[in-house]
Amino acid sequence: MPSEHIVSSFDTDLKEISRRVVEMGGQAEQLVADSVQSLVKRDTELAQKVIVLDGPIDLLQREIEEKSVLTIARRQPLAGDLREIVAAMRIANDLERIGDLAKNTSKRVLALTGEFHPQKLVRGVEHMSSMVLEQLKEVLDAYASREDARAIEVWKRDGEIDILYTSLFRELLTYMMEDPRNISLCTHLLFCAKNIERIGDHATNIAETVHYLATGQLLTEERPKQDNSSLTTVPFPS
């Protein structure tokens, strides 16, 4: 039977891993918010800041992975404790990808410098990003509190973001058809919108992981996807 000291040390390791995941989540959330603000306000300085600050998120992901692997090797955890570590590694991987997607959006902002930039074209992206940020905040709170019901609510709402993305995709294509001056801007905005939609997918991944952490069960239902952008057709003028 493990000594009280060993059990206490193991608990400390688990808490440290969890603390780092929460810290990483806060950084990723801020990066997404800043990347969208840099797009809406055409703030190249903020965009450059986002690109630089993706580095610390990558570093945290590697630290969490190394700490997790070391803890598994040293402690040989079972059941719930092992789920804690596996969940932390999964969530850290999703957060690292979220940081990359925020960085990619900010790179688009830098590419748009000097472009004609009517605000009406950006509002749809801003609205979708608000929904995604709300999802991300909710699922990170669900992880911090180990609240399965909250995570499931995020999972169920994944389709709402897909519907909004499909609508925005069609709208931007229409603007491109109506005025060739919009083509360059709308192309960049389409990539930004796709980045944000994928951030929503990663938030849903995290929700599935929180469910696994809280219950020990994998979600077997099909994810409620509603992205029909690949089926969209735009009538070309005759």
Side-chain angles (χ1 to χ4, degrees):
M1 187 174 180
S3 71
E4 189 174 322
H5 170 72
I6 293 175
V7 171
S8 175
S9 177
F10 180 47
D11 288 343
T12 300
D13 288 343
L14 289 181
K15 286 176 182 177
E16 175 61 16
I17 291 170
S18 180
R19 185 196 65 77
R20 290 189 189 183
V21 172
V22 171
E23 178 187 352
M24 188 180 177
Q27 290 183 15
E29 194 178 342
Q30 188 61 54
L31 225 57
V32 174
D34 286 347
S35 67
V36 174
Q37 279 305 299
S38 71
L39 174 64
V40 172
K41 296 180 178 180
R42 286 178 283 180
D43 189 336
T44 56
E45 188 176 328
L46 183 58
Q48 288 169 336
K49 179 183 172 185
V50 169
I51 292 168
V52 170
L53 290 180
D54 178 55
I57 289 180
D58 293 343
L59 180 61
L60 260 177
Q61 187 270 333
R62 289 194 295 271
E63 288 176 353
I64 289 166
E65 186 174 275
E66 288 169 6
K67 179 76 171 175
S68 297
V69 170
L70 195 59
T71 301
I72 290 172
R74 284 180 174 174
R75 312 296 186 188
Q76 299 181 346
L78 301 173
D81 290 335
L82 182 59
R83 286 205 309 273
E84 283 278 351
I85 299 172
V86 171
M89 287 194 291
R90 283 184 181 175
I91 293 171
N93 285 336
D94 280 306
L95 292 173
E96 189 271 335
R97 289 297 301 130
I98 287 171
D100 286 346
L101 291 164
K103 177 180 70 175
N104 291 346
T105 297
S106 290
K107 285 181 176 179
R108 294 281 170 184
V109 174
L110 298 182
L112 283 167
T113 303
E115 290 273 355
F116 178 59
H117 199 163
Q119 281 301 106
K120 67 177 181 180
L121 298 185
V122 183
R123 287 195 197 106
V125 177
E126 186 179 18
H127 176 53
M128 188 171 76
S129 68
S130 296
M131 285 182 63
V132 168
L133 275 168
E134 184 183 343
Q135 292 280 80
L136 185 56
K137 181 182 184 306
E138 278 294 307
V139 81
L140 290 172
D141 287 347
Y143 170 69
S145 61
R146 307 299 192 265
E147 200 170 338
D148 179 45
R150 206 167 178 178
I152 292 297
E153 280 304 308
V154 171
W155 185 83
K156 287 179 178 177
R157 287 162 56 193
D158 181 61
E160 295 175 18
I161 294 169
D162 291 335
I163 290 169
L164 192 56
Y165 170 70
T166 300
S167 172
L168 182 58
F169 182 89
R170 289 171 177 162
E171 183 180 5
L172 289 171
L173 284 183
T174 301
Y175 281 129
M176 292 165 73
M177 293 296 302
E178 290 176 348
D179 189 343
R181 292 176 302 171
N182 291 332
I183 290 176
S184 178
L185 171 63
C186 288
T187 300
H188 285 297
L189 289 179
L190 281 171
F191 279 108
C192 290
K194 187 60 182 178
N195 287 340
I196 293 164
E197 188 263 343
R198 287 173 66 195
I199 289 170
D201 286 340
H202 285 289
T204 306
N205 289 348
I206 295 171
E208 292 177 350
T209 301
V210 173
H211 173 76
Y212 164 74
L213 172 59
T215 67
Q217 301 294 319
L218 297 175
L219 273 170
T220 55
E221 295 178 51
E222 188 174 342
R223 186 177 290 192
K225 299 297 293 178
Q226 297 290 335
D227 176 8
N228 296 316
S229 58
S230 61
L231 305 178
T232 299
T233 57
V234 178
F236 283 83
S238 55

